[in-house]
Amino acid sequence: MTVRKSLAVLAAAFGLNLAVTGAVFAAPSPQAEAAYERGVAAQRSGDMEAAVTEWQEAAVEGHVGAAWILANLYDKGVGGVSQSDAKTYDYLLLAARGGQPAAAVRLGEIYLQGNERIGLKRNYAQALKSFEAGALAQRGDAQYYVSVMHRNGWGTSVDRTESLRWLLLSANKRYAPAFAELGRIHMEGEGVAQARVDGWGYLLLANRFGTPEQRAVPDELMAKYEGWMKPGEKDKARDMADAWIASHGGA
């Protein structure tokens, strides 16, 4: 069973997000691969204790898939393990260093906030480095975070042009928070020329591509800007959103 296929099976079993979009895994050693496969076999037979033990061996030997699985298990406290921020962090490090961009993004989020429970202080420089690793692997969420870092001058100097560049790249991946931020800055004229039609159109796209949780932000912004829109501008914004979708591969 391939790493990607086994991750999909485990994700379904434990309700985890084990996506490997953009991941380029280094080939594991034969020992690491053997331990990983023993873990998969143990999990399929219902012996999670043995599975975790085998995956721990595989992760230490450099198996990225095993490290990514363990990071998620310890993060949620599922699969027979107790929740542990420390172990989550350790396995995220192993997975990110091995080429898992989703792990790099998760690490960036930890560095961005810090974690007092494991004695980790906020570190903007490390957060930016982690987000850049994910961004270069073409992850929309990572590109959005890089935009945020440049906009706020976190771990780098304030650079609105660079922030906008990464924001547009993220939006091209249909990442809803990027559309919401594009909507906000165009409505406000923050770093760009004020453009209500474009701003409203981006908010429509944020709603279109967002998860139920992500839609809360564009909904709030649309309520705020409702009175700013002039007659006919919402129709033009809908046309703009439809044109964007058509020019980016359709619905």
Side-chain angles (χ1 to χ4, degrees):
M1 182 182 293
T2 66
V3 172
R4 281 173 168 77
K5 186 174 181 180
S6 59
L7 288 176
V9 172
L10 290 164
F14 297 113
L16 300 174
N17 180 2
L18 297 176
V20 292
T21 303
V24 180
F25 298 142
S29 68
Q31 296 89 341
E33 182 62 26
Y36 175 79
E37 291 296 342
R38 289 195 300 270
V40 172
Q43 184 273 328
R44 293 173 71 183
S45 69
D47 189 349
M48 279 305 301
E49 183 177 356
V52 169
T53 298
E54 295 291 355
W55 288 331
Q56 287 171 334
E57 178 183 339
V60 170
E61 291 290 333
H63 197 289
V64 179
W68 181 230
I69 290 169
L70 290 167
N72 281 275
L73 292 181
Y74 280 109
D75 183 38
K76 301 298 183 183
V78 297
V81 304
S82 299
Q83 197 283 331
S84 170
D85 287 357
K87 289 183 178 180
T88 298
Y89 174 73
D90 289 342
Y91 286 117
L92 283 175
L93 274 176
L94 291 175
R97 289 170 179 169
Q100 169 53 290
V105 175
R106 293 266 292 279
L107 275 178
E109 291 172 337
I110 293 172
Y111 290 130
L112 188 60
Q113 299 296 327
N115 188 320
E116 293 182 357
R117 292 188 294 273
I118 59 175
L120 192 67
K121 295 182 179 180
R122 176 180 291 168
N123 188 325
Y124 287 143
Q126 280 296 110
L128 178 59
K129 183 178 179 180
S130 294
F131 291 142
E132 286 176 337
L136 292 174
Q138 303 302 311
R139 285 190 62 94
D141 53 355
Q143 292 170 337
Y144 171 78
Y145 275 122
V146 173
S147 172
V148 170
M149 303 300 280
H150 282 284
R151 183 178 72 241
N152 291 290
W154 293 341
T156 185
S157 58
V158 173
D159 189 333
R160 292 291 177 84
T161 300
E162 188 70 358
S163 176
L164 180 59
R165 183 174 78 86
W166 284 106
L167 199 59
L168 289 168
L169 287 171
S170 177
N172 282 341
K173 306 298 187 304
R174 303 190 177 199
Y175 188 60
F179 282 122
E181 180 62 10
L182 283 168
R184 186 190 71 79
I185 65 175
H186 279 83
M187 292 299 297
E188 300 279 353
E190 183 182 297
V192 296
Q194 187 179 41
R196 291 187 301 273
V197 169
D198 287 347
W200 197 266
Y202 283 128
L203 294 176
L204 291 173
L205 289 167
N207 253 317
R208 174 68 176 271
F209 296 118
T211 64
E213 183 178 274
Q214 290 171 337
R215 289 176 192 144
V217 173
D219 284 347
E220 182 178 334
L221 291 173
M222 292 172 92
K224 175 182 177 180
Y225 300 133
E226 176 79 28
W228 296 26
M229 302 300 289
K230 295 181 179 180
E233 288 185 333
K234 287 186 180 180
D235 289 336
K236 292 179 180 178
R238 278 190 287 272
D239 290 342
M240 171 266 189
D242 289 342
W244 189 97
I245 292 170
S247 66
H248 289 76

